[in-house]
């Protein structure tokens, strides 16, 4: 079945965030325009290269905070796919913003990917699309198991400390901010508000929402703070 379905060739990148926890980097640029140290390329540049490598030919970038900085960079960069930018006329919320951006996709009757603009990752989107198709899902979210930023302490039933574990993997899977959506999903989104409080829970109750665990060893990091930038650069060098 995996080889027979077409994987999406269009994507939405949500790049409107303020990035207040990344100041001073975001004082003069939106969060997706922050460069990963040592690469000379902003986060969104890495994302678009990844999407293109996974077969995406058209991307809609939803801009917000300091939109012109992002639009100017996209206009001057040598990009590996066609990019359209949209700016919300007013704050629409995450679900409303996604719906607004999706209206500019070139093929409204076909499935599409979406990704948050602050995610730096590498894994097979084609495999995720096959997973989505096989489960006949309306929406599929990638699931990551991040490392806990603190050291963990392991004890026995007597309360004796057995071991210290530095930054262990979380026992929980989290929403990794990368999605596959069927064509029908757009009409299920709210015009205003957050789809993660409305559309996703409804689809989950109907068993039409799937979760794709990132493959073992896949690289994933959300760039939220200056520490994330430093660690991303260190991991890249390693």
């Amino acid at each position: 079945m995996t080889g027979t379905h077409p994987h999406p060739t269009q994507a939405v990148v949500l790049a409107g965030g303020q990035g207040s926890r990344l100041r001073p980097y975001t004082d003069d640029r939106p969060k997706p325009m922050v460069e990963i140290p040592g690469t000379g390329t902003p986060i969104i540049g890495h994302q678009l290269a990844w999407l293109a490598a996974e077969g995406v030919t058209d991307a809609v970038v939803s801009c917000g905070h300091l939109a012109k900085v992002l639009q100017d960079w996209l206009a001057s960069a040598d990009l590996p796919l066609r990019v359209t930018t949209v700016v919300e006329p007013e704050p629409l919320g995450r679900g409303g913003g996604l719906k607004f951006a999706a209206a500019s996709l070139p093929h409204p009757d076909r499935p599409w990917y979406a990704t948050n603009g602050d995610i730096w990752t590498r894994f097979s989107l084609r495999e995720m699309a096959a997973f989505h198709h096989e489960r006949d899902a309306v929406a599929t979210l990638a699931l990551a198991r991040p490392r806990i930023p603190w050291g963990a302490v392991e004890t026995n039933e007597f309360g004796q400390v057995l071991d210290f574990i530095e930054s262990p993997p979380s026992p929980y899977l989290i929403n990794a901010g990368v999605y596959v959506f069927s064509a029908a999903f757009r009409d299920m989104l709210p015009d205003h508000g957050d789809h993660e409080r409305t559309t996703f829970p409804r689809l989950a109750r109907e068993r039409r929402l799937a979760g794709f665990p990132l493959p073992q060893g896949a690289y994933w990091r959300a760039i939220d703070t200056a520490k994330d930038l430093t660690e991303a650069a260190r991991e890249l060098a390693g």
Side-chain angles (χ1 to χ4, degrees), residues 225-238:
T225 63
K227 185 167 180 269
D228 292 323
L229 272 182
T230 310
E231 291 188 356
R234 196 187 69 228
E235 286 159 355
L236 187 73

Side-chain angles (χ1 to χ4, degrees), residues 37-60:
T39 70
T41 304
I43 300 164
I44 188 138
H46 292 284
Q47 284 193 324
L48 293 173
W50 172 54
L51 290 170
E54 290 292 325
V56 174
T57 57
D58 292 271
V60 176

Side-chain angles (χ1 to χ4, degrees), residues 169-191:
S170 163
Y172 296 104
L173 292 164
I174 65 159
N175 179 349
V178 180
Y179 310 91
V180 184
F181 296 133
S182 69
F185 179 75
R186 188 185 153 246
D187 291 336
M188 300 177 184
L189 286 164
D191 294 324

Side-chain angles (χ1 to χ4, degrees), residues 1-206:
M1 195 170 189
T2 303
T4 58
H5 77 99
H7 57 78
T9 59
Q10 53 186 2
V12 167
V13 180
L14 296 170
Q18 292 266 350
S20 48
R21 289 197 294 161
L22 260 174
R23 289 198 175 119
Y25 296 101
T26 49
D27 284 346
D28 62 351
R29 68 194 61 192
K31 196 174 176 185
M33 279 301 299
V34 173
E35 287 185 8
I36 305 286
T39 70
T41 304
I43 300 164
I44 188 138
H46 292 284
Q47 284 193 324
L48 293 173
W50 172 54
L51 290 170
E54 290 292 325
V56 174
T57 57
D58 292 271
V60 176
V61 177
S62 176
C63 311
H65 174 63
L66 298 173
K68 191 168 182 332
V69 179
L70 180 50
Q71 289 171 319
D72 288 350
W73 183 81
L74 289 167
S76 64
D78 182 17
L79 300 173
L81 72 182
R82 286 184 292 274
V83 173
T84 308
T85 60
V86 296
V87 181
E88 295 173 21
E90 56 176 331
L92 300 173
R94 288 196 294 182
L98 191 56
K99 187 175 196 172
F100 179 75
S104 293
L105 288 168
H107 307 291
D109 55 337
R110 296 186 200 166
W112 46 293
Y113 297 119
T115 178
N116 296 345
D118 56 357
I119 302 296
W120 193 29
T121 186
R122 284 289 183 277
F123 65 90
S124 173
L125 280 174
R126 289 179 174 90
E127 278 180 26
M128 185 175 168
F131 179 96
H132 168 85
H133 181 75
E134 283 157 9
R135 278 145 193 83
D136 200 22
V138 172
T140 297
L141 38 153
L143 303 174
R145 195 182 291 280
R147 292 197 165 273
I148 295 170
W150 307 283
V153 180
E154 190 184 339
T155 61
N156 65 13
E157 65 271 28
F158 299 113
Q160 296 164 324
V161 172
L162 302 178
D163 202 0
F164 298 92
I165 305 154
E166 198 54 49
S167 298
S170 163
Y172 296 104
L173 292 164
I174 65 159
N175 179 349
V178 180
Y179 310 91
V180 184
F181 296 133
S182 69
F185 179 75
R186 188 185 153 246
D187 291 336
M188 300 177 184
L189 286 164
D191 294 324
H192 288 82
D194 188 349
H195 61 295
E196 297 196 9
R197 294 171 189 269
T198 54
T199 314
F200 278 178
R202 190 176 84 235
L203 287 173
R205 286 193 299 273
E206 295 168 359

